[in-house]
């Protein structure tokens, strides 16, 4: 499993504030355990929304989160090894972006009983544009 670091703080549904006020438990799907410390990996503690599960089941759990996010209007729009990028159109135009990253502690054995994590974080700014590309007017 190729591991990449994820950018932080989750807009899965507005995370770190939710994680702090106890509402994050509502974002923990069956098979996942809330992991507010994100395994103390990659400096994500307090900056991202993370859940954990046995590493052997992290792929299936990721699929469950993809389906849950899609049911909330997020569309998978790309990604790479162990990461999915989602977009959701804003009513006022533009898009919000969200990424889901699978990771584990690479300093420990990666057996089936090892703990794996899913971390969720927003992609800042408008990740798509409703504005057509502007073509400069020809010089006269």
């Amino acid at each position: 499993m190729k591991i990449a670091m994820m950018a932080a703080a989750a807009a899965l549904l507005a995370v770190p504030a939710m994680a702090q006020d106890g509402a994050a438990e509502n974002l923990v799907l069956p098979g996942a355990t809330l992991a507010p410390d994100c395994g103390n990996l990659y400096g994500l503690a307090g900056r991202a929304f993370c859940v954990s599960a046995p590493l052997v089941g992290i792929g299936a759990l990721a699929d469950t989160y993809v389906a849950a996010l899609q049911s909330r209007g997020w569309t998978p729009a790309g990604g790479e090894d162990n990461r999915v990028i989602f977009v959701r159109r804003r009513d006022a135009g533009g898009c919000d972006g969200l990424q889901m990253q699978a990771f584990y502690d690479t300093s420990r054995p990666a057996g089936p009983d090892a703990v794996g994590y899913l971390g969720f974080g927003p992609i800042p700014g408008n990740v798509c544009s409703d504005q057509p590309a502007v073509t400069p007017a020809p010089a006269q």
Side-chain angles (χ1 to χ4, degrees):
M1 180 186 294
K2 181 180 176 185
I3 300 303
M5 192 167 148
M6 75 169 248
L12 172 57
L13 302 154
V15 176
M18 292 179 70
Q20 293 169 358
D21 70 10
E25 287 79 14
N26 296 329
L27 304 176
V28 179
L29 299 180
T33 301
L34 182 62
D37 67 355
C38 297
N40 291 314
L41 298 167
Y42 307 114
L44 296 176
R47 296 179 44 210
F49 173 77
C50 294
V51 295
S52 65
L55 190 57
V56 70
I58 208 74
L61 183 60
D63 291 341
T64 300
Y65 271 96
V66 168
L69 286 164
Q70 286 179 300
S71 75
R72 293 179 175 142
W74 292 97
T75 302
E80 55 193 36
D81 291 343
N82 304 321
R83 183 170 67 128
V84 179
I85 303 296
F86 299 89
V87 296
R88 181 170 64 182
R89 291 258 175 216
R90 298 174 183 160
D91 290 339
C95 297
D96 290 318
L98 172 70
Q99 59 185 328
M100 176 181 73
Q101 179 76 46
F103 60 98
Y104 69 99
D105 187 345
T106 59
S107 70
R108 296 182 180 205
D113 295 329
V115 178
Y117 298 90
L118 293 176
F120 300 87
I123 300 168
N126 179 5
V127 298
C128 61
S129 175
D130 292 335
Q131 304 300 320
V134 176
T135 305
Q140 294 184 6

